[in-house]
Amino acid sequence: MISRRRFLEQTTRVAGSAVLADSVLAGVSVAEGPAADPKLLERAKALLQKAPLIDTHNDLPTMFLETKAGDLTSFDMSKVQATLCADIPRLREGRIGAQYWSVWVDSATQKSHMALHEAVREFDVALRFVHNQPELEQARTADDIERIHQTGRIACLLGIEGGHMIENSPAVLRIFYELGARYMTLTHWDNIDWADAATDRPQLYGLTEFGEKVVREMNRLGMFADLSHVSPDTMRDTLRVTRAPVIFSHSNAFAIAAHPRCVPDDVLGLLPANGGVVHVNFIREFVSPLNSAWQEKRTAALKSLHARLDTDDAIAKGIAAWEKANVPPRGSISDVADHIDHIRKVAGVEHVGIGADFDDVLPDSMAEGLENVTRYPYLFAELLRRGYSDDDVLKIAGRNHLRAIRQMETVAAELRKTEAPLITEGRLGEWKK
């Protein structure tokens, strides 16, 4: 299955992906990447169980809506679900202790003013899923995560993937917080009224005054400002105005893979003073250091096709043939570990986490060896092979995130004593500058 996210963002796919998807849906087994040293793998699994392992980004709620319009009775989540990116058995095998489920709505819905409506559908399906599974429990605080993990259940939190969903309303932001959202990615693929995205043309060159007010209101509430997907200028503005740690819920290092979704070194260098955490992503486009060169070649091929061909259908067939002959680089577990190495070098090991971003069931979407949610231990076995200590692994797996949550909660508790809620409805012209 090709997810709505993949289609709408028009990210490049290998010709023949549909065939791969069909094989997965039919239950055909798919290779799961290279093996690891058995002793290191067992050590990694034990550490992840202890940490707990916290993944800050998974798009399962969107898949529920895409596949069965949110009808959860269609799925027995106690068994492996080949059409979904996660289920209870595979989360257990991957040693997940806490999972943020993403509330994602296409950023184009801001133009039709359907963003809030669609966001409510995502909240609904995510909360119904969590509340109907005995092995899951909703968490709202760092203490909740640790308590739930100690009971043997999986702690579940929510993250809003795109500030367009609040439709310029701090009141909506507060309601999303009450529903359990503990971060909001300030933008998604497109710019919004008050912040620039990484993958759109610069318009605001960061945050507007209203955008700064939104970040401060998130500080007051106790909600992370998530800087995945935002432009470097928006990253820098947010780090300038925030009073609490930020997160990147699913981002990598630009120095390793030069994709606009990755984090530049100057921003990484600001994290020690802020206390924020970059949660490393497994999606191939953001992992492989070879992807940028491949994209440039694809763009050149597409330009040539436009010059030679007259119809959209002919161009589509031409680029599909080019992609079949020029398979895009996927990257590997080693490449993901290289991103972790680089973030540790620039920002410090206290500022690295995991945000895999599983969002479909195609075996070629993610870095090789990290195809699904069972594979986290293999990445940590690679870190152990590279000489990371047990304490380093515990920090990266989840303890850095828990520390950042507690810092955020402390800031929010103080700010609520001194600051009133942000009120802009009826005064939007005053604040939207």
Side-chain angles (χ1 to χ4, degrees), residues 78-389:
S78 69
K79 299 178 180 178
V80 172
Q81 298 295 309
T83 63
L84 299 176
C85 65
D87 46 59
I88 303 301
R90 287 184 293 170
L91 290 170
R92 291 295 195 191
E93 187 176 345
R95 300 304 194 272
I96 283 288
Q99 180 68 66
Y100 281 79
W101 303 110
S102 178
V103 173
W104 174 80
V105 172
D106 172 26
S107 51
T109 56
Q110 64 188 309
K111 298 176 182 177
S112 61
H113 301 288
M114 288 295 290
L116 176 55
H117 177 275
E118 292 301 301
V120 170
R121 291 182 67 224
E122 290 262 343
F123 269 103
D124 169 61
V125 74
L127 290 171
R128 283 190 288 116
F129 165 56
V130 172
H131 295 160
N132 289 335
Q133 294 295 320
E135 296 202 52
L136 307 180
E137 183 178 339
Q138 186 174 9
R140 295 173 179 270
T141 66
D143 286 349
D144 282 348
I145 293 173
E146 292 190 323
R147 173 185 56 78
I148 293 166
H149 178 62
Q150 289 169 3
T151 68
R153 293 190 293 274
I154 298 171
C156 295
L157 303 95
L158 302 178
I160 308 163
E161 192 176 12
H164 58 286
M165 281 179 264
I166 69 169
E167 296 196 353
N168 297 329
S169 170
V172 172
L173 180 69
R174 289 188 285 272
I175 293 299
F176 285 174
Y177 174 84
E178 293 298 331
L179 289 173
R182 289 301 178 266
Y183 72 72
M184 182 171 73
T185 322
L186 300 187
T187 70
H188 191 247
W189 219 247
D190 300 325
N191 296 339
I192 62 175
D193 287 342
W194 44 272
D196 276 349
T199 44
D200 202 349
R201 183 175 303 169
Q203 291 180 327
L204 306 170
Y205 297 93
L207 292 174
T208 65
E209 181 183 350
F210 177 71
E212 293 181 2
K213 297 283 185 183
V214 171
V215 170
R216 292 190 178 106
E217 179 68 354
M218 293 170 72
N219 294 161
R220 191 192 68 83
L221 285 171
M223 183 187 293
F224 284 119
D226 174 22
L227 302 184
S228 290
H229 280 288
V230 308
S231 72
D233 284 337
T234 302
M235 296 176 191
R236 297 176 190 114
D237 277 356
T238 303
L239 284 161
R240 173 177 53 81
V241 302
T242 186
R243 284 84 55 87
V246 302
I247 64 167
F248 294 77
S249 68
H250 55 304
S251 290
N252 291 346
F254 186 87
I256 302 298
H259 190 288
R261 274 276 285 102
C262 295
V263 189
D265 277 2
D266 72 293
V267 174
L268 291 176
L270 298 174
L271 290 181
N274 169 262
V277 181
V278 179
H279 297 81
V280 172
N281 185 303
F282 299 171
I283 288 184
R284 69 179 192 199
E285 287 87 350
F286 315 136
V287 168
S288 174
L290 303 177
N291 184 66
S292 180
W294 184 88
Q295 292 287 357
E296 289 178 5
K297 291 179 181 178
R298 184 185 183 279
T299 298
L302 193 58
K303 187 179 295 185
S304 175
L305 290 168
H306 276 281
R308 293 186 291 105
L309 302 175
D310 296 329
T311 68
D312 289 345
D313 184 58
I315 291 168
K317 289 179 179 178
I319 198 63
W322 185 91
E323 290 176 352
K324 186 175 183 179
N326 298 270
V327 177
R330 282 182 60 190
S332 63
I333 285 180
S334 181
D335 289 323
V336 175
D338 287 346
H339 283 275
I340 293 173
D341 282 349
H342 186 82
I343 297 168
R344 178 179 67 164
K345 177 181 176 182
V346 178
V349 73
E350 294 80 9
H351 305 284
V352 192
I354 300 296
D357 198 8
F358 288 105
D359 67 356
D360 63 30
V361 294
L362 295 174
D364 65 336
S365 293
M366 316 300 272
E368 184 178 2
L370 295 170
E371 290 85 358
N372 59 64
V373 296
T374 70
R375 300 292 296 181
Y376 298 98
Y378 291 81
L379 172 61
F380 285 91
E382 171 63 15
L383 296 183
L384 291 171
R385 188 190 68 79
R386 293 184 180 206
Y388 282 67
S389 68

